[in-house]
Coordinates of all heavy atoms in Angstrom, one line a residue:
Q1 N -11.7 5.3 -30.1 CA -11.3 5.3 -28.7 C -10.9 4.0 -28.2 O -10.0 3.9 -27.4 CB -12.5 5.9 -27.9 CG -12.1 6.3 -26.5 CD -13.3 6.9 -25.7 OE1 -14.4 7.0 -26.3 NE2 -13.0 7.4 -24.6
F2 N -11.6 2.9 -28.6 CA -11.2 1.6 -28.2 C -9.8 1.2 -28.6 O -9.0 0.7 -27.9 CB -12.2 0.6 -28.8 CG -11.9 -0.8 -28.5 CD1 -12.1 -1.4 -27.2 CD2 -11.3 -1.7 -29.5 CE1 -11.8 -2.7 -27.0 CE2 -11.0 -3.0 -29.2 CZ -11.2 -3.5 -27.9
L3 N -9.5 1.6 -29.9 CA -8.1 1.3 -30.4 C -7.1 2.1 -29.6 O -6.0 1.6 -29.4 CB -8.0 1.6 -31.9 CG -8.9 0.7 -32.8 CD1 -8.8 1.2 -34.2 CD2 -8.4 -0.7 -32.7
R4 N -7.4 3.3 -29.3 CA -6.5 4.1 -28.5 C -6.2 3.5 -27.1 O -5.1 3.4 -26.7 CB -7.0 5.5 -28.4 CG -6.1 6.5 -27.9 CD -5.0 6.9 -28.9 NE -5.5 7.5 -30.1 CZ -4.9 7.4 -31.3 NH1 -3.8 6.7 -31.5 NH2 -5.4 8.0 -32.3
R5 N -7.3 3.0 -26.5 CA -7.1 2.3 -25.2 C -6.2 1.1 -25.4 O -5.4 0.9 -24.5 CB -8.5 1.9 -24.7 CG -8.5 1.2 -23.4 CD -9.9 0.9 -22.9 NE -10.0 -0.1 -21.9 CZ -9.6 0.0 -20.7 NH1 -9.2 1.2 -20.2 NH2 -9.7 -1.0 -19.8
Q6 N -6.4 0.3 -26.5 CA -5.6 -0.8 -26.7 C -4.1 -0.4 -26.8 O -3.2 -1.1 -26.3 CB -6.0 -1.6 -27.9 CG -7.4 -2.3 -27.7 CD -7.4 -3.3 -26.6 OE1 -7.8 -3.0 -25.6 NE2 -6.9 -4.4 -26.9
Q7 N -3.8 0.7 -27.5 CA -2.5 1.1 -27.7 C -1.9 1.5 -26.3 O -0.7 1.2 -26.1 CB -2.4 2.4 -28.6 CG -2.6 2.1 -30.0 CD -2.5 3.4 -30.8 OE1 -3.2 4.4 -30.6 NE2 -1.6 3.4 -31.8
V8 N -2.6 2.2 -25.5 CA -2.1 2.6 -24.2 C -1.8 1.4 -23.3 O -0.7 1.3 -22.7 CB -3.2 3.5 -23.5 CG1 -2.7 3.8 -22.0 CG2 -3.3 4.9 -24.2
L9 N -2.7 0.4 -23.3 CA -2.5 -0.8 -22.5 C -1.3 -1.6 -23.0 O -0.5 -2.1 -22.2 CB -3.8 -1.7 -22.5 CG -4.9 -1.1 -21.7 CD1 -6.2 -2.0 -21.9 CD2 -4.6 -0.9 -20.3
Q10 N -1.2 -1.6 -24.3 CA 0.0 -2.4 -24.9 C 1.3 -1.7 -24.5 O 2.2 -2.3 -24.2 CB -0.2 -2.4 -26.4 CG 0.8 -3.3 -27.1 CD 0.5 -3.3 -28.6 OE1 0.0 -2.4 -29.2 NE2 0.8 -4.4 -29.2
L11 N 1.3 -0.4 -24.6 CA 2.5 0.4 -24.2 C 2.8 0.2 -22.7 O 4.0 -0.1 -22.4 CB 2.3 1.9 -24.5 CG 3.4 2.8 -24.0 CD1 4.7 2.5 -24.8 CD2 3.0 4.3 -24.2
Y12 N 1.8 0.2 -21.9 CA 2.0 0.0 -20.4 C 2.6 -1.4 -20.2 O 3.6 -1.5 -19.4 CB 0.7 0.1 -19.7 CG 0.7 0.0 -18.3 CD1 1.3 0.9 -17.5 CD2 0.2 -1.1 -17.6 CE1 1.3 0.8 -16.1 CE2 0.2 -1.3 -16.2 CZ 0.8 -0.3 -15.5 OH 0.8 -0.4 -14.1
R13 N 2.1 -2.4 -20.8 CA 2.6 -3.8 -20.7 C 4.1 -3.8 -21.1 O 4.9 -4.5 -20.5 CB 1.7 -4.8 -21.4 CG 0.4 -5.0 -20.8 CD -0.3 -6.2 -21.5 NE -1.7 -6.1 -21.1 CZ -2.7 -5.7 -21.9 NH1 -2.4 -5.4 -23.1 NH2 -3.9 -5.7 -21.4
K14 N 4.4 -3.3 -22.3 CA 5.7 -3.3 -22.8 C 6.7 -2.6 -21.9 O 7.9 -3.1 -21.7 CB 5.8 -2.6 -24.2 CG 5.2 -3.4 -25.4 CD 5.3 -2.6 -26.6 CE 4.8 -3.3 -27.8 NZ 4.9 -2.5 -29.1
I15 N 6.3 -1.5 -21.3 CA 7.2 -0.8 -20.4 C 7.4 -1.6 -19.2 O 8.6 -1.8 -18.7 CB 6.6 0.6 -20.0 CG1 6.6 1.5 -21.2 CG2 7.4 1.2 -18.9 CD1 5.9 2.8 -21.0
L16 N 6.4 -2.3 -18.6 CA 6.6 -3.1 -17.4 C 7.5 -4.3 -17.7 O 8.3 -4.7 -16.9 CB 5.2 -3.5 -16.9 CG 4.4 -2.4 -16.2 CD1 3.1 -3.0 -15.8 CD2 5.1 -1.8 -15.1
R17 N 7.3 -4.9 -19.0 CA 8.2 -6.0 -19.3 C 9.7 -5.6 -19.4 O 10.6 -6.3 -19.0 CB 7.8 -6.6 -20.6 CG 6.5 -7.5 -20.5 CD 6.2 -8.2 -21.8 NE 4.9 -8.7 -21.7 CZ 3.9 -8.2 -22.6 NH1 4.2 -7.2 -23.5 NH2 2.7 -8.6 -22.4
A18 N 9.8 -4.4 -20.0 CA 11.2 -3.9 -20.1 C 11.8 -3.6 -18.8 O 13.0 -3.8 -18.5 CB 11.2 -2.6 -21.0
I19 N 11.0 -3.1 -17.8 CA 11.5 -2.8 -16.5 C 12.0 -4.1 -15.8 O 12.9 -4.0 -15.0 CB 10.4 -2.1 -15.7 CG1 10.3 -0.6 -16.2 CG2 10.8 -2.0 -14.2 CD1 9.1 0.1 -15.6
R20 N 11.4 -5.2 -16.1 CA 11.8 -6.5 -15.5 C 13.3 -6.8 -15.7 O 13.9 -7.5 -15.0 CB 11.0 -7.6 -16.0 CG 9.6 -7.7 -15.5 CD 9.0 -9.0 -15.9 NE 7.5 -8.8 -16.0 CZ 6.7 -9.5 -16.8 NH1 7.2 -10.4 -17.7 NH2 5.4 -9.3 -16.8
E21 N 13.8 -6.2 -16.8 CA 15.2 -6.5 -17.2 C 16.2 -5.6 -16.5 O 17.4 -5.9 -16.5 CB 15.3 -6.2 -18.7 CG 14.5 -7.0 -19.6 CD 14.7 -8.5 -19.5 OE1 15.9 -8.9 -19.5 OE2 13.7 -9.2 -19.4
V22 N 15.7 -4.6 -15.7 CA 16.6 -3.8 -14.9 C 17.2 -4.6 -13.8 O 16.5 -5.2 -13.0 CB 15.9 -2.6 -14.4 CG1 16.7 -1.7 -13.4 CG2 15.3 -1.7 -15.5
P23 N 18.6 -4.6 -13.7 CA 19.2 -5.5 -12.8 C 19.0 -5.1 -11.3 O 18.8 -6.1 -10.5 CB 20.7 -5.4 -13.1 CG 20.8 -4.2 -14.1 CD 19.5 -3.9 -14.6
A24 N 19.0 -3.9 -10.9 CA 18.9 -3.5 -9.5 C 17.4 -3.4 -9.1 O 16.6 -2.8 -9.7 CB 19.5 -2.1 -9.3
E25 N 17.1 -4.2 -8.0 CA 15.8 -4.2 -7.4 C 15.2 -2.9 -7.1 O 14.1 -2.5 -7.4 CB 15.8 -5.1 -6.2 CG 14.5 -5.1 -5.4 CD 13.4 -5.8 -6.1 OE1 13.6 -6.7 -6.9 OE2 12.2 -5.4 -6.0
Q26 N 16.1 -2.0 -6.5 CA 15.6 -0.7 -6.1 C 15.2 0.1 -7.3 O 14.2 0.8 -7.3 CB 16.7 0.0 -5.3 CG 16.2 1.3 -4.7 CD 17.3 1.9 -3.8 OE1 18.4 1.3 -3.6 NE2 17.1 3.1 -3.3
D27 N 16.0 0.1 -8.4 CA 15.7 0.8 -9.6 C 14.5 0.3 -10.3 O 13.6 1.0 -10.7 CB 16.9 0.7 -10.6 CG 18.1 1.4 -10.1 OD1 18.0 2.3 -9.2 OD2 19.2 1.1 -10.6
R28 N 14.3 -1.0 -10.2 CA 13.1 -1.7 -10.8 C 11.8 -1.1 -10.1 O 10.8 -0.8 -10.7 CB 13.1 -3.2 -10.7 CG 13.6 -3.9 -11.9 CD 13.2 -5.4 -11.8 NE 13.5 -6.1 -10.6 CZ 14.7 -6.6 -10.2 NH1 15.7 -6.6 -11.1 NH2 14.8 -7.3 -9.1
R29 N 11.9 -1.1 -8.7 CA 10.8 -0.7 -8.0 C 10.5 0.8 -8.2 O 9.3 1.2 -8.4 CB 11.0 -0.9 -6.5 CG 9.8 -0.9 -5.6 CD 10.0 -1.3 -4.1 NE 10.7 -2.5 -4.0 CZ 11.9 -2.6 -3.4 NH1 12.5 -1.5 -2.8 NH2 12.6 -3.7 -3.3
Y30 N 11.5 1.6 -8.3 CA 11.3 3.0 -8.6 C 10.7 3.2 -9.9 O 9.7 4.0 -10.1 CB 12.7 3.8 -8.5 CG 12.6 5.2 -9.1 CD1 12.1 6.2 -8.3 CD2 13.0 5.5 -10.3 CE1 11.9 7.5 -8.8 CE2 12.9 6.8 -10.8 CZ 12.4 7.7 -10.1 OH 12.3 9.0 -10.6
L31 N 11.2 2.6 -11.0 CA 10.6 2.7 -12.3 C 9.2 2.3 -12.4 O 8.3 2.9 -13.1 CB 11.5 2.0 -13.3 CG 12.9 2.6 -13.6 CD1 13.7 1.6 -14.4 CD2 12.7 3.9 -14.3
K32 N 8.9 1.1 -11.7 CA 7.5 0.6 -11.8 C 6.6 1.6 -11.2 O 5.5 1.8 -11.7 CB 7.5 -0.8 -11.0 CG 6.5 -1.7 -11.5 CD 6.5 -2.9 -10.6 CE 6.9 -4.1 -11.4 NZ 6.9 -5.3 -10.6
D33 N 6.9 2.1 -10.0 CA 6.1 3.1 -9.3 C 5.9 4.4 -10.1 O 4.8 4.9 -10.2 CB 6.7 3.5 -7.9 CG 6.6 2.3 -6.9 OD1 5.9 1.4 -7.2 OD2 7.3 2.4 -5.9
W34 N 7.0 4.8 -10.8 CA 6.9 6.0 -11.6 C 6.0 5.8 -12.8 O 5.1 6.6 -13.1 CB 8.3 6.3 -12.1 CG 8.3 7.5 -13.0 CD1 8.2 8.8 -12.7 CD2 8.5 7.5 -14.4 NE1 8.2 9.6 -13.8 CE2 8.4 8.8 -14.9 CE3 8.7 6.5 -15.4 CZ2 8.5 9.1 -16.3 CZ3 8.8 6.8 -16.7 CH2 8.7 8.1 -17.2
V35 N 6.1 4.6 -13.5 CA 5.2 4.3 -14.6 C 3.8 4.2 -14.2 O 2.9 4.8 -14.8 CB 5.7 3.0 -15.3 CG1 4.6 2.5 -16.3 CG2 7.0 3.2 -16.0
R36 N 3.5 3.6 -13.1 CA 2.1 3.5 -12.6 C 1.5 4.8 -12.3 O 0.4 5.1 -12.7 CB 2.1 2.6 -11.3 CG 2.1 1.2 -11.6 CD 1.7 0.4 -10.4 NE 1.9 -1.0 -10.6 CZ 2.6 -1.8 -9.9 NH1 3.3 -1.3 -8.8 NH2 2.8 -3.1 -10.1
E37 N 2.3 5.6 -11.7 CA 1.9 7.0 -11.3 C 1.6 7.9 -12.6 O 0.6 8.5 -12.6 CB 2.9 7.7 -10.4 CG 2.4 8.9 -9.7 CD 1.2 8.6 -8.8 OE1 1.1 7.5 -8.1 OE2 0.2 9.4 -8.9
E38 N 2.4 7.7 -13.6 CA 2.2 8.5 -14.8 C 1.0 8.1 -15.6 O 0.2 8.9 -16.0 CB 3.5 8.3 -15.7 CG 4.7 9.1 -15.3 CD 4.4 10.6 -15.4 OE1 4.0 11.1 -16.5 OE2 4.7 11.3 -14.4
F39 N 0.8 6.8 -15.6 CA -0.4 6.3 -16.3 C -1.7 6.6 -15.5 O -2.7 7.0 -16.1 CB -0.3 4.8 -16.6 CG 0.4 4.4 -17.8 CD1 1.8 4.4 -17.9 CD2 -0.3 4.2 -19.0 CE1 2.5 4.1 -19.0 CE2 0.4 3.8 -20.1 CZ 1.8 3.8 -20.2
K40 N -1.7 6.6 -14.2 CA -2.8 6.9 -13.4 C -3.1 8.4 -13.5 O -4.3 8.8 -13.6 CB -2.5 6.6 -11.9 CG -2.8 5.2 -11.5 CD -2.6 5.1 -10.0 CE -2.6 3.6 -9.6 NZ -2.3 3.4 -8.2
R41 N -2.1 9.2 -13.6 CA -2.2 10.7 -13.6 C -2.9 11.1 -14.9 O -3.7 12.1 -14.9 CB -0.9 11.3 -13.5 CG -0.9 12.8 -13.3 CD 0.4 13.4 -12.8 NE 1.5 13.0 -13.7 CZ 2.0 13.7 -14.7 NH1 1.4 14.9 -15.0 NH2 3.0 13.3 -15.4
N42 N -2.7 10.3 -16.0 CA -3.2 10.7 -17.3 C -4.4 9.8 -17.7 O -4.8 10.0 -18.9 CB -2.1 10.6 -18.3 CG -1.0 11.6 -18.1 OD1 -1.3 12.8 -18.0 ND2 0.2 11.2 -17.9
K43 N -4.9 9.0 -16.8 CA -6.0 8.1 -17.2 C -7.3 8.7 -17.7 O -8.0 8.2 -18.4 CB -6.2 7.1 -16.2 CG -7.1 7.6 -15.0 CD -7.4 6.5 -14.0 CE -8.3 7.0 -13.0 NZ -8.7 6.0 -12.1
D44 N -7.5 10.0 -17.2 CA -8.8 10.7 -17.5 C -8.6 11.6 -18.8 O -9.5 12.4 -19.0 CB -9.2 11.5 -16.3 CG -9.6 10.6 -15.2 OD1 -10.1 9.5 -15.4 OD2 -9.4 11.0 -14.0
A45 N -7.5 11.5 -19.4 CA -7.3 12.4 -20.6 C -8.2 11.9 -21.7 O -8.4 10.8 -21.9 CB -5.8 12.3 -21.1
T46 N -8.8 12.9 -22.3 CA -9.8 12.6 -23.4 C -9.4 13.2 -24.8 O -9.9 12.8 -25.8 CB -11.2 13.1 -23.0 OG1 -11.1 14.5 -22.7 CG2 -11.7 12.3 -21.8
E47 N -8.6 14.3 -24.7 CA -8.3 14.9 -26.0 C -7.4 14.0 -26.9 O -6.3 13.6 -26.4 CB -7.5 16.2 -25.7 CG -7.4 17.2 -26.9 CD -6.8 18.5 -26.5 OE1 -7.1 19.0 -25.4 OE2 -6.0 18.9 -27.3
E48 N -7.8 13.8 -28.1 CA -7.1 12.8 -29.0 C -5.7 13.2 -29.2 O -4.8 12.3 -29.2 CB -7.9 12.8 -30.3 CG -8.9 11.7 -30.5 CD -8.4 10.3 -30.1 OE1 -7.5 9.8 -30.8 OE2 -9.0 9.7 -29.3
D49 N -5.4 14.5 -29.5 CA -4.0 14.9 -29.8 C -3.2 14.7 -28.6 O -2.0 14.3 -28.8 CB -4.0 16.4 -30.3 CG -4.6 16.6 -31.7 OD1 -4.7 15.6 -32.4 OD2 -5.1 17.7 -32.0
A50 N -3.6 15.0 -27.4 CA -2.9 14.9 -26.2 C -2.5 13.4 -26.0 O -1.4 13.1 -25.6 CB -3.6 15.5 -25.0
I51 N -3.5 12.6 -26.1 CA -3.3 11.1 -25.9 C -2.3 10.6 -26.9 O -1.4 9.8 -26.6 CB -4.7 10.3 -26.1 CG1 -5.6 10.8 -24.9 CG2 -4.4 8.8 -26.1 CD1 -7.0 10.3 -25.1
R52 N -2.5 11.0 -28.2 CA -1.5 10.6 -29.2 C -0.1 11.0 -28.9 O 0.9 10.2 -29.0 CB -1.9 11.1 -30.6 CG -1.5 10.3 -31.8 CD -2.0 10.8 -33.1 NE -3.5 10.8 -33.1 CZ -4.2 12.0 -33.3 NH1 -3.6 13.1 -33.6 NH2 -5.5 11.9 -33.4
M53 N 0.1 12.2 -28.4 CA 1.4 12.7 -28.0 C 2.0 12.0 -26.8 O 3.1 11.6 -26.8 CB 1.3 14.2 -27.6 CG 2.6 14.9 -27.4 SD 2.4 16.5 -26.6 CE 1.9 16.1 -25.0
M54 N 1.1 11.6 -25.9 CA 1.6 10.9 -24.7 C 2.0 9.5 -25.1 O 3.0 8.9 -24.6 CB 0.5 10.8 -23.6 CG 0.3 12.1 -22.9 SD -0.8 12.0 -21.5 CE -2.4 12.3 -22.4
I55 N 1.3 8.9 -26.0 CA 1.7 7.5 -26.5 C 3.0 7.6 -27.3 O 3.9 6.8 -27.0 CB 0.6 7.0 -27.5 CG1 -0.6 6.6 -26.7 CG2 1.1 5.7 -28.2 CD1 -1.8 6.2 -27.5
T56 N 3.2 8.6 -28.1 CA 4.5 8.8 -28.8 C 5.6 9.0 -27.8 O 6.7 8.3 -27.9 CB 4.4 10.0 -29.7 OG1 3.3 9.8 -30.6 CG2 5.7 10.2 -30.5
Q57 N 5.4 9.8 -26.8 CA 6.4 10.1 -25.8 C 6.7 8.8 -25.0 O 7.9 8.5 -24.7 CB 5.9 11.2 -24.8 CG 6.9 11.8 -24.0 CD 6.3 13.0 -23.2 OE1 5.2 13.1 -23.0 NE2 7.2 13.9 -22.8
G58 N 5.7 8.0 -24.6 CA 5.9 6.8 -23.9 C 6.7 5.8 -24.7 O 7.6 5.1 -24.2
N59 N 6.4 5.7 -26.0 CA 7.2 4.8 -26.9 C 8.6 5.2 -27.0 O 9.6 4.4 -27.0 CB 6.6 4.7 -28.3 CG 5.4 3.8 -28.4 OD1 5.5 2.7 -27.9 ND2 4.3 4.2 -29.0
M60 N 8.9 6.6 -27.1 CA 10.3 7.0 -27.1 C 11.0 6.7 -25.8 O 12.2 6.3 -25.8 CB 10.3 8.5 -27.4 CG 10.0 8.9 -28.8 SD 9.7 10.6 -29.2 CE 10.5 11.5 -27.9
Q61 N 10.3 6.8 -24.6 CA 10.9 6.5 -23.4 C 11.2 5.0 -23.3 O 12.2 4.6 -22.7 CB 10.1 7.0 -22.2 CG 10.1 8.5 -22.1 CD 9.2 9.0 -21.1 OE1 8.2 8.4 -20.7 NE2 9.5 10.2 -20.5
L62 N 10.3 4.2 -23.8 CA 10.5 2.8 -23.8 C 11.7 2.4 -24.6 O 12.5 1.6 -24.2 CB 9.2 2.1 -24.4 CG 9.4 0.6 -24.7 CD1 9.7 -0.2 -23.4 CD2 8.1 0.1 -25.3
Q63 N 11.8 3.0 -25.8 CA 13.0 2.7 -26.7 C 14.3 3.1 -26.0 O 15.3 2.4 -26.0 CB 12.9 3.4 -28.0 CG 11.8 2.9 -28.9 CD 11.6 3.7 -30.1 OE1 12.1 4.8 -30.3 NE2 10.8 3.2 -31.0
E64 N 14.3 4.2 -25.3 CA 15.5 4.7 -24.5 C 15.8 3.7 -23.4 O 17.0 3.4 -23.2 CB 15.2 6.1 -24.0 CG 16.4 6.7 -23.2 CD 17.6 6.9 -24.2 OE1 17.4 7.3 -25.3 OE2 18.7 6.8 -23.7
L65 N 14.8 3.3 -22.7 CA 15.1 2.3 -21.7 C 15.6 1.0 -22.3 O 16.6 0.4 -21.7 CB 13.8 2.0 -20.9 CG 13.8 0.8 -19.9 CD1 14.8 1.2 -18.7 CD2 12.4 0.6 -19.3
Q66 N 15.1 0.5 -23.4 CA 15.6 -0.7 -24.0 C 17.0 -0.6 -24.5 O 17.9 -1.4 -24.4 CB 14.7 -1.1 -25.2 CG 13.3 -1.6 -24.7 CD 12.3 -1.8 -25.8 OE1 12.4 -1.1 -26.8 NE2 11.4 -2.7 -25.6
R67 N 17.3 0.6 -25.1 CA 18.7 0.9 -25.5 C 19.7 0.9 -24.3 O 20.7 0.3 -24.4 CB 18.7 2.3 -26.2 CG 18.9 2.2 -27.7 CD 19.3 3.6 -28.3 NE 18.5 4.7 -27.9 CZ 17.3 5.1 -28.5 NH1 16.9 4.4 -29.5 NH2 16.7 6.1 -28.1
T68 N 19.3 1.5 -23.3 CA 20.1 1.6 -22.1 C 20.3 0.2 -21.5 O 21.5 -0.1 -21.1 CB 19.5 2.5 -21.0 OG1 19.2 3.8 -21.5 CG2 20.3 2.6 -19.7
L69 N 19.3 -0.6 -21.5 CA 19.5 -2.0 -21.0 C 20.4 -2.8 -21.9 O 21.2 -3.6 -21.3 CB 18.1 -2.7 -20.8 CG 17.2 -2.1 -19.7 CD1 15.8 -2.7 -19.8 CD2 17.8 -2.5 -18.4
K70 N 20.3 -2.6 -23.2 CA 21.1 -3.4 -24.1 C 22.6 -2.9 -23.9 O 23.5 -3.8 -23.9 CB 20.6 -3.1 -25.5 CG 21.3 -3.9 -26.5 CD 20.9 -3.6 -28.0 CE 19.6 -4.3 -28.3 NZ 19.2 -4.1 -29.7
L71 N 22.8 -1.6 -23.7 CA 24.2 -1.2 -23.5 C 24.7 -1.7 -22.2 O 26.0 -2.1 -22.1 CB 24.2 0.3 -23.5 CG 24.2 1.0 -24.8 CD1 24.0 2.5 -24.6 CD2 25.4 0.7 -25.6
A72 N 23.9 -1.8 -21.2 CA 24.4 -2.3 -19.9 C 24.8 -3.8 -19.9 O 25.7 -4.2 -19.2 CB 23.3 -2.0 -18.8
K73 N 24.0 -4.5 -20.7 CA 24.4 -5.9 -20.8 C 25.6 -6.2 -21.6 O 26.3 -7.2 -21.4 CB 23.2 -6.7 -21.6 CG 22.0 -6.8 -20.7 CD 20.9 -7.6 -21.4 CE 19.7 -7.8 -20.5 NZ 18.6 -8.4 -21.2
S74 N 26.0 -5.4 -22.6 CA 27.2 -5.6 -23.4 C 28.5 -5.1 -22.8 O 28.5 -4.6 -21.7 CB 27.0 -5.0 -24.7 OG 26.8 -3.6 -24.6

């Protein structure tokens, strides 16, 4: 459980760092609020499979955001 918590916190930090790269202030604020709300909504989840699935989904969304930002810069 401790390791899972570390994974979740690490994912949260990575997402927030990636959001800093978003050029538009309004989009940054929207994404930050959305991420906070999603993590708060799921903070009481205890089922291992569900948590694992949410972490996987979060990593996929992070990769998509990073890809989009990379395309926008080029």
Side-chain angles (χ1 to χ4, degrees):
Q1 193 175 3
F2 175 75
L3 291 175
R4 193 70 64 211
R5 177 178 164 77
Q6 291 301 99
Q7 282 181 307
V8 170
L9 291 173
Q10 188 177 33
L11 175 62
Y12 183 69
R13 288 186 197 109
K14 283 180 182 177
I15 292 172
L16 289 179
R17 282 189 202 110
I19 289 173
R20 286 187 206 152
E21 302 297 315
V22 173
E25 172 66 31
Q26 188 175 359
D27 293 339
R28 264 196 316 271
R29 201 173 306 121
Y30 169 78
L31 287 170
K32 208 183 246 185
D33 291 344
W34 177 75
V35 167
R36 279 194 188 121
E37 197 56 43
E38 283 296 308
F39 275 81
K40 276 184 191 174
R41 191 165 54 92
N42 294 305
K43 77 175 185 174
D44 295 324
T46 55
E47 193 176 320
E48 270 304 304
D49 290 339
I51 294 171
R52 208 174 301 121
M53 185 191 74
M54 286 186 273
I55 290 172
T56 302
Q57 196 172 23
N59 278 316
M60 287 173 19
Q61 289 175 334
L62 172 61
Q63 288 172 355
E64 183 63 33
L65 175 61
Q66 289 170 333
R67 253 195 309 273
T68 304
L69 289 169
K70 189 182 275 188
L71 282 173
K73 285 182 180 178
S74 59

